[in-house]
Amino acid sequence: QGSVDCPNLEFEYGDADGHGAELAELYSYTEEPELSTNRRCFEEDFHTQVQGRRWLELDEAQQKAYVMRLLDGLEVVNRDKRLKVARAILYLAQGVFGDCDNEGDVLHWSRHNSFLLYKLGTFTAFLELLNMEIDNSQACSSALRKPAISLADSTELRVLLSVMYLMVENIRVEQEADPPEWKTCRETFRMELSFPVHTEEPFALLLFTMVTKFCSGHAPHFPMKKVLLLLWKVLLFTLGGFEALQVMKVRKREELGLPPLPEDSIQVMRSMRAASPPTYSIELTEQQQQKRGHRSRRPLVKQDSLDIYNERDPFKNDEAGVDEEENDDVDSGIEGELYLMERDAIIPVLPAQRPPIERVSFPKGLPWAPKVRQKDIEHFLEASRNKFIGFTLGQDTETLIGLPRPIHESVKTLKQHKYVSISDVQIKNEEELEKCPMSLGEEEVQETPCEILYRAMLYNLPQYMIALLKILLAAAPTSKAKTDSINILADVLPEEMPITVLQSMKLGIDVNRHKEIIVKSISALLLLLLKHFKLNHIYQFEYVSQHLVFANCIPLILKFFNQNIMSYITAKNSISVLDYPHCTVYDLPELTAESLEAGDNNQFCWRNLFSCINLLRILNKLTKWKHSRTMMLVVFKSAPILKRALKVKQAMMQLYVLKLLKIQTKYLGRQWRKSNMKTMSAIYQKVRHRMNDDWAYGNDIDARPWDFQAEECTLRANIEAFNSRRYDKPQDSEFAPVDNCLQSVLGQRLELPEDFHYSYELWLEREVFSQPICWEELLHYQ
């Protein structure tokens, strides 16, 4: 796999794929026969009620009346009758495809019916049924007894979750032509999902509970893919997608009185272009052999290594400047010789005959405005004062007495680019609240959907994270099928296993697609949680990320990327003729082994590229500014894995890979930097610069061994202090008056657990009579 065979990928990153694609991923191909079952259930009932007319011909009042009748049918005791009614409702949500001629109609009626169903209270009715189904111990125990679980074990759950997913997804997606009443419907639904009224917990929490129950092995029949897709879409709907996040971030900075953001990161990334992937070790050795043979013949350098410099590089003639510090070392000899040879191989001299006009059209400057933290200015001044005056002034960044003119200039430049993040402000406020709890009083916490979700998730958050990562591990393509790993294929395997080669090929594609969709939903929902919690409060984000790190998220993501990432991104695990809504309106062509093998003619698989970018973003979120976690990247030898991921020519994915390489460059040693100058150059072009950040050369204080535990422990202590201050109920317990009267203390009624009465004598024997009491010691102590 050289770097030539991957063309630029025309990939548009967003909150989710196209509307049709997102609906299609809800169903596995083995579920396809159930579409006609749903249709049959609907038509049997509909034709008894409405003679000789189709659903599309009814006016709104008649449609409402019919749906109300169906909803009444959900109240019956008989389980099979309930399932039939639920299937009829699912057929409505699927867009009454029996009456439609093309895919557009199906999607149109699916949206129309979803809004209608929501207005008549279908979601609440299905929520009750879902709760009943989750608590159905009979289904759990029968699933636990079976040697192999199949689709049939989760029929009711799949019907309920499908209706809920179709409603959430259809109502969530905004379209130009939506009537105003749909817009109000959307807002009401969002409020209903975010701010629970009757139940004490948001809907997302119920789905998280399903995930943990599934992972604990108590409910192996839960259709996990549908649960995770629904959970991701509910979070996307209630918390907001990436663009909404950007708007919230801008608003929050205004509220805190911080200067506006230097740029809109979403827009900057969209306008970025992919660089050619770096040369790989095999190619490098070839080049070096060529070099040794032909020291004088320049043109033999591979054209490929020129590419990155043809990418409109404003620093075209400044190669010498990049390597100044390296050349300061006086160790010439063989290493210097090799180094020069490699520079020849990697940084070719420009051909002289190129017309000068092209030089003019290069866009000047870098894609990102540089940023400086307050801490960086303090470090810089501390070093300067030590050098020139011989003592330091702590955190004072104003006094410049005794420092030479150039230092004044440097400080001025640093301050111009100083960036204060929302997190910095939150950490500072938290420190003050911890210091003076009495004088500052209660803090006002805004009741945002994010805040409510965090409060609900708080006590079981570690279990939720472990469960999600367990499923992610089971769905990763690099995972071997271990016997102890959880079975995530319960909602894809048919009752009768395939007999013919064609059937087993189809099932193989289905299983791979199923796993890819699970990876996509988990990666997207984890990223959403991290980004929203970070904006809401930095310590909420740190709590989630610390539990992800403790649950081995970093090696898990690296393991995921330790595969042929190009073949994962171009995988063709889908059969487009079987996708909903196509399969509902067109007759299926005869499937053959050849047509299955050929797959669709897409250049890449959207969901897999989306998953890869999300996982890289999560890894960046976990490791940024965390020295101990950066060292984990180094220890797990992530550099070659990440470098391989650069083969994918997609700007956004490359950017996040380069960020991860940048933070560990100084620990990878000089030899690595020498042989990877192309990657270094790509980092320089694409990643944001931090002024006086010594990322490329390990002269930094951080490069020394560090007490890693201490860093995580301090962070953990801060998180626990935040959680207990804000969320533990008896907040003023320390300052409550204490009752010192013996009579009233002994006279209080204590609520004892029921089983205490049975074991009371045993307790007395163990805790009182058998414990020796040294009365003398007690007297001495006073």
Side-chain angles (χ1 to χ4, degrees):
Q1 279 232 9
S3 41
V4 192
D5 56 1
C6 174
N8 278 328
L9 304 181
E10 297 300 319
F11 170 80
E12 179 83 10
Y13 184 82
D15 293 326
D17 204 347
H19 187 52
E22 288 295 340
L23 296 185
E25 288 181 355
L26 179 64
Y27 313 102
S28 50
Y29 298 141
T30 28
E31 282 180 277
E32 197 211 338
E34 294 190 17
L35 290 166
S36 48
T37 316
N38 300 341
R39 180 179 174 179
R40 197 177 60 247
C41 289
F42 172 80
E43 287 178 350
E44 281 171 8
D45 187 77
F46 187 68
H47 293 317
T48 56
Q49 301 301 315
V50 186
Q51 263 86 30
R53 292 174 72 189
R54 299 187 312 161
W55 172 260
L56 313 188
E57 294 163 0
L58 303 183
D59 61 26
E60 196 172 338
Q62 290 167 316
Q63 288 181 346
K64 276 185 178 172
Y66 180 68
V67 172
M68 292 303 279
R69 260 209 70 268
L70 278 180
L71 290 175
D72 288 342
L74 288 178
E75 306 287 325
V76 295
V77 180
N78 184 322
R79 209 177 148 80
D80 296 336
K81 283 183 183 168
R82 268 209 315 267
L83 180 61
K84 274 190 167 176
V85 175
R87 281 193 182 284
I89 293 176
L90 175 54
Y91 175 71
L92 283 174
Q94 284 169 340
V96 287
F97 47 80
D99 300 351
C100 298
D101 304 325
N102 57 41
E103 296 178 35
D105 286 355
V106 179
L107 293 176
H108 166 78
W109 280 102
S110 178
R111 285 197 87 212
H112 173 275
N113 293 344
S114 294
F115 278 101
L116 179 73
L117 288 169
Y118 172 67
K119 278 186 269 188
L120 298 174
T122 314
F123 195 84
T124 326
F126 271 70
L127 186 53
E128 283 174 21
L129 289 176
L130 182 66
N131 274 312
M132 272 168 55
E133 223 23 79
I134 292 171
D135 298 334
N136 180 353
S137 53
Q138 191 187 348
C140 290
S141 54
S142 77
L144 282 167
R145 280 199 303 273
K146 284 191 178 178
I149 300 172
S150 70
L151 275 175
D153 296 291
S154 58
T155 309
E156 282 88 353
L157 276 169
R158 280 184 299 109
V159 171
L160 299 176
L161 290 165
S162 297
V163 172
M164 295 170 110
Y165 178 84
L166 286 166
M167 287 175 70
V168 169
E169 183 60 3
N170 278 319
I171 295 175
R172 176 188 77 81
V173 174
E174 298 178 34
Q175 288 182 3
E176 290 291 310
D178 288 353
E181 61 169 323
W182 282 13
K183 288 176 183 164
T184 49
C185 244
R186 182 176 297 123
E187 286 315 306
T188 323
F189 194 24
R190 183 182 282 132
M191 296 294 281
E192 190 181 308
L193 291 173
S194 323
F195 303 100
V197 188
H198 304 300
T199 53
E200 289 306 303
E201 53 188 36
F203 177 53
L205 198 77
L206 177 68
L207 298 172
F208 271 119
T209 319
M210 284 183 82
V211 175
T212 44
K213 200 170 173 184
F214 171 79
C215 279
S216 64
H218 296 316
H221 64 298
F222 281 1
M224 232 349 76
K225 182 185 84 173
K226 286 185 169 53
V227 174
L228 290 166
L229 278 172
L230 180 55
L231 177 54
W232 165 39
K233 289 302 165 60
V234 166
L235 293 177
L236 188 55
F237 186 31
T238 53
L239 304 179
F242 299 122
E243 306 225 331
L245 245 166
Q246 192 72 11
V247 174
M248 282 150 70
K249 194 172 179 180
V250 169
R251 194 170 59 233
K252 193 149 191 173
R253 287 185 72 82
E254 275 174 16
E255 285 168 12
L256 294 172
L258 296 173
L261 291 165
E263 70 271 292
D264 180 347
S265 50
I266 300 174
Q267 293 311 322
V268 175
M269 256 176 258
R270 279 190 185 145
S271 57
M272 264 192 185
R273 291 183 48 210
S276 342
T279 4
Y280 288 87
S281 45
I282 306 157
E283 297 173 29
L284 268 176
T285 27
E286 279 172 19
Q287 283 180 18
Q288 283 174 16
Q289 283 162 2
Q290 283 179 354
K291 279 285 164 195
R292 289 192 184 110
H294 320 268
R295 283 308 295 272
S296 56
R297 287 159 62 186
R298 258 292 155 62
L300 270 165
V301 178
K302 290 182 85 171
Q303 178 58 41
D304 191 46
S305 57
L306 290 163
D307 285 359
I308 198 159
Y309 290 101
N310 299 342
E311 290 270 331
R312 301 270 180 272
D313 184 1
F315 304 94
K316 188 77 89 176
N317 291 324
D318 309 348
E319 279 96 43
V322 180
D323 302 311
E324 263 171 354
E325 288 190 41
E326 289 268 17
N327 291 341
D328 286 348
D329 298 341
V330 200
D331 62 13
S332 50
I334 188 144
E335 200 173 321
E337 185 87 354
L338 254 174
Y339 179 44
L340 281 169
M341 279 161 44
E342 281 190 21
R343 270 187 62 190
D344 287 353
I346 291 172
I347 303 179
V349 174
L350 289 171
Q353 67 271 29
R354 174 171 289 182
I357 306 111
E358 211 177 320
R359 189 84 178 94
V360 183
S361 66
F362 289 165
K364 284 273 177 261
L366 297 154
W368 305 98
K371 283 180 179 177
V372 179
R373 298 181 300 168
Q374 176 69 17
K375 210 183 279 180
D376 299 330
I377 303 179
E378 286 167 16
H379 282 325
F380 176 72
L381 276 169
E382 190 178 348
S384 308
R385 285 174 184 142
N386 270 332
K387 185 175 174 184
F388 292 107
I389 325 175
F391 63 86
T392 61
L393 298 174
Q395 295 180 334
D396 178 353
T397 55
E398 299 307 315
T399 316
L400 299 177
I401 296 166
L403 295 174
R405 191 83 229 140
I407 299 289
H408 288 234
E409 293 295 320
S410 304
V411 173
K412 187 181 165 191
T413 312
L414 287 175
K415 283 184 176 172
Q416 272 171 355
H417 292 282
K418 182 174 154 187
Y419 173 78
V420 181
S421 67
I422 295 173
S423 311
D424 296 340
V425 178
Q426 289 169 340
I427 290 173
K428 204 163 168 223
N429 289 348
E430 195 54 35
E431 282 170 5
E432 285 171 8
L433 280 163
E434 280 293 320
K435 227 183 291 175
C436 353
M438 294 300 281
S439 54
L440 290 174
E442 286 285 304
E443 98 180 288
E444 272 184 47
V445 182
Q446 271 185 314
E447 286 292 285
T448 57
C450 193
E451 183 62 36
I452 287 171
L453 180 68
Y454 181 78
R455 196 181 314 138
M457 286 175 70
L458 180 62
Y459 293 105
N460 292 321
L461 199 133
Q463 287 89 307
Y464 299 146
M465 293 306 120
I466 290 169
L468 286 172
L469 292 182
K470 265 188 182 175
I471 300 173
L472 183 60
L473 176 65
T478 45
S479 296
K480 303 287 171 280
K482 291 198 192 80
T483 41
D484 58 342
S485 74
I486 41 181
N487 174 21
I488 49 171
L489 303 177
D491 49 335
V492 65
L493 297 177
E495 280 183 280
E496 285 89 31
M497 288 312 269
I499 326 158
T500 64
V501 174
L502 189 67
Q503 282 175 331
S504 45
M505 273 182 78
K506 185 178 148 189
L507 184 62
I509 289 177
D510 206 1
V511 165
N512 288 340
R513 172 178 178 266
H514 182 80
K515 288 180 170 179
E516 289 172 2
I517 294 168
I518 287 179
V519 172
K520 168 187 171 180
S521 51
I522 292 181
S523 67
L525 82 86
L526 281 177
L527 181 63
L528 264 183
L529 279 178
L530 287 172
K531 284 189 80 70
H532 276 282
F533 284 152
K534 187 168 185 188
L535 185 59
N536 199 47
H537 199 292
I538 181 66
Y539 283 138
Q540 297 178 348
F541 160 80
E542 295 292 9
Y543 187 52
V544 175
S545 49
Q546 196 162 54
H547 279 295
L548 285 172
V549 172
F550 291 161
N552 277 343
C553 185
I554 294 177
L556 170 57
I557 295 179
L558 291 174
K559 182 181 177 183
F560 179 90
F561 278 97
N562 195 11
Q563 55 166 316
N564 184 338
I565 213 75
M566 269 315 299
S567 63
Y568 183 69
I569 278 169
T570 52
K572 299 202 182 312
N573 287 318
S574 51
I575 311 167
S576 46
V577 289
L578 292 180
D579 277 338
Y580 167 92
H582 185 283
C583 65
T584 58
V585 282
Y586 298 110
D587 294 332
L588 288 187
E590 187 61 45
L591 288 177
T592 61
E594 288 74 38
S595 68
L596 287 185
E597 230 160 43
D600 51 15
N601 52 2
N602 290 340
Q603 184 196 17
F604 58 88
C605 171
W606 196 95
R607 67 172 161 263
N608 289 357
L609 190 43
F610 179 68
S611 306
C612 287
I613 291 176
N614 288 340
L615 290 170
L616 287 167
R617 292 183 75 175
I618 292 167
L619 200 48
N620 266 297
K621 287 243 167 286
L622 297 181
T623 49
K624 190 176 180 183
W625 302 125
K626 304 279 187 305
H627 186 246
S628 56
R629 297 176 195 174
T630 307
M631 292 314 284
M632 279 174 89
L633 289 179
V634 179
V635 169
F636 289 123
K637 299 191 169 52
S638 64
I641 297 174
L642 292 168
K643 227 184 115 179
R644 271 205 307 275
L646 284 175
K647 284 186 178 183
V648 182
K649 286 182 83 173
Q650 203 282 323
M652 191 168 180
M653 180 155 163
Q654 286 185 342
L655 173 72
Y656 288 111
V657 173
L658 292 169
K659 278 184 169 190
L660 288 166
L661 284 168
K662 177 180 172 177
I663 56 174
Q664 49 175 321
T665 301
K666 63 173 110 168
Y667 310 114
L668 293 174
R670 189 156 161 223
Q671 198 48 51
W672 187 90
R673 296 198 289 272
K674 280 180 179 178
S675 39
N676 289 283
M677 281 313 286
K678 232 179 121 177
T679 310
M680 302 282 281
S681 170
I683 292 172
Y684 190 75
Q685 280 182 310
K686 296 206 177 310
V687 183
R688 186 193 302 279
H689 285 266
R690 299 267 168 185
M691 290 186 171
N692 65 9
D693 169 17
D694 209 357
W695 65 271
Y697 311 101
N699 327 339
D700 193 15
I701 166 174
D702 282 355
R704 294 175 205 155
W706 198 277
D707 182 3
F708 300 140
Q709 286 324 104
E711 197 182 9
E712 290 289 351
C713 290
T714 316
L715 182 59
R716 194 172 185 171
N718 290 340
I719 296 167
E720 280 173 1
F722 163 77
N723 281 337
S724 66
R725 184 189 61 72
R726 201 190 256 198
Y727 301 107
D728 284 355
K729 275 291 157 271
Q731 282 184 331
D732 50 359
S733 54
E734 278 181 53
F735 313 110
V738 179
D739 186 355
N740 293 323
C741 173
L742 194 65
Q743 291 301 107
S744 68
V745 171
L746 290 176
Q748 282 174 5
R749 283 195 65 75
L750 272 180
E751 286 296 319
L752 294 169
E754 276 181 39
D755 51 354
F756 183 73
H757 300 296
Y758 306 124
S759 54
Y760 176 58
E761 285 156 357
L762 190 70
W763 180 83
L764 270 178
E765 187 58 48
R766 199 179 61 226
E767 299 290 332
V768 183
F769 301 143
S770 64
Q771 293 287 343
I773 299 173
C774 306
W775 298 103
E776 297 86 351
E777 277 189 28
L778 198 63
L779 293 169
H780 286 317
Y781 180 69
Q782 281 184 336

